[in-house]
Amino acid sequence: DGGITQSPKYLFRKEGQNVTLSCEQNLNHDAMYWYRQDPGQGLRLIYYSQIVNDFQKGDIAEGYSVSREKKESFPLTVTSAQKNPTAFYLCASSLQMNYGYTFGSGTRLTVV
Amino acid sequence: GENVEQHPSTLSVQEGDSAVIKCTYSDSASNYFPWYKQELGKRPQLIIDIRSNVGEKKDQRIAVTLNKTAKHFSLHITETQPEDSAVYFCAARMDTGRRALTFGSGTRLQVQP
């Protein structure tokens, strides 16, 4: 849907567990991004990747990890070190860093 | 790093009226300013963008203006319709260093029929 797919749509995690959110794009975009969306706080950057095998921390990287082994895929792992992981997570991609974004449909993570 | 402030957080207008949302940014190196619309339960969609070599851009009922000296930019929606009701986000990006978008906190626009 729109060339960038996030799964699952809803995810429930027990405290102390790591979970991985999937993001796949078939747009042949070089750059990919992860944002976290909380009510009233807009979108905050977690990690971004300009190119395969390279990624950079954003503003709120603590408790998260990523990998970029393939151009099409940019999975996000929410580790047990993330103290308040309940949020809506959005993945995005762009042709290159100086182009506009295409967003995925998001994953809503809830800690139970 | 860049910081983007967005006002107001909520905006209610009557159908047919105009709506204006304002954003300020902190880093004078920013040169790309997009606006996204997010309807309830959906992904953000790019509606208009402007680069720093342009002062104004218009697309039908939507326009964006940029004042580089004051470091602010605004979204203008004319002849609002109920389907314009959504959350709108502004963003800014530098051309060097960290070139990922920094977003404002969002404006919830409600168009009353």
Side-chain angles (χ1 to χ4, degrees), chain A residues 35 37 59 97-98 101, chain B residues 36 38 43 93 98 101:
Chain A
Y35 285 86
Q37 186 174 21
D59 298 318
M97 290 292 289
N98 57 345
Y101 289 3
Chain B
Y36 288 83
Q38 187 177 30
R43 71 190 75 190
R93 181 176 62 208
R98 191 183 91 173
L101 289 174

Side-chain angles (χ1 to χ4, degrees), chain B residues 56-75:
Chain B
E56 183 174 0
K57 185 176 179 180
K58 191 172 183 180
D59 183 3
Q60 298 181 4
R61 297 187 296 109
I62 293 173
V64 57
T65 57
L66 171 65
N67 183 329
K68 282 200 68 180
T69 303
K71 291 191 284 187
H72 67 71
F73 56 111
S74 300
L75 178 71

Side-chain angles (χ1 to χ4, degrees), chain B residues 44-89:
Chain B
Q45 300 268 14
L46 177 69
I47 55 171
I48 197 167
D49 58 10
I50 192 168
R51 297 188 186 271
S52 60
N53 58 346
V54 176
E56 183 174 0
K57 185 176 179 180
K58 191 172 183 180
D59 183 3
Q60 298 181 4
R61 297 187 296 109
I62 293 173
V64 57
T65 57
L66 171 65
N67 183 329
K68 282 200 68 180
T69 303
K71 291 191 284 187
H72 67 71
F73 56 111
S74 300
L75 178 71
H76 305 255
I77 306 174
T78 59
E79 302 171 23
T80 54
Q81 301 167 4
E83 52 264 38
D84 294 329
S85 296
V87 178
Y88 292 81
F89 292 98

Side-chain angles (χ1 to χ4, degrees), chain A residues 50-63:
Chain A
Q50 299 186 62
I51 199 167
V52 176
N53 293 322
D54 178 73
F55 51 83
Q56 306 293 330
K57 291 182 179 180
D59 298 318
I60 56 165
E62 185 175 352

Side-chain angles (χ1 to χ4, degrees), chain B residues 24-40:
Chain B
T24 59
Y25 60 99
S26 60
D27 199 317
S28 56
S30 289
N31 65 353
Y32 175 65
F33 308 93
W35 286 88
Y36 288 83
K37 175 184 180 182
Q38 187 177 30
E39 297 178 47
L40 191 61

Side-chain angles (χ1 to χ4, degrees), chain A residues 34-83:
Chain A
W34 275 105
Y35 285 86
R36 170 178 170 147
Q37 186 174 21
D38 296 283
Q41 294 194 50
L43 283 69
R44 292 183 291 166
L45 182 66
I46 305 172
Y47 269 98
Y48 66 100
S49 169
Q50 299 186 62
I51 199 167
V52 176
N53 293 322
D54 178 73
F55 51 83
Q56 306 293 330
K57 291 182 179 180
D59 298 318
I60 56 165
E62 185 175 352
Y64 300 97
S65 66
V66 293
S67 63
R68 187 84 188 278
E69 298 176 359
K70 298 187 300 181
K71 186 175 185 177
E72 302 80 18
S73 179
F74 191 40
L76 174 73
T77 297
V78 185
T79 74
S80 57
Q82 170 51 236
K83 297 306 178 188

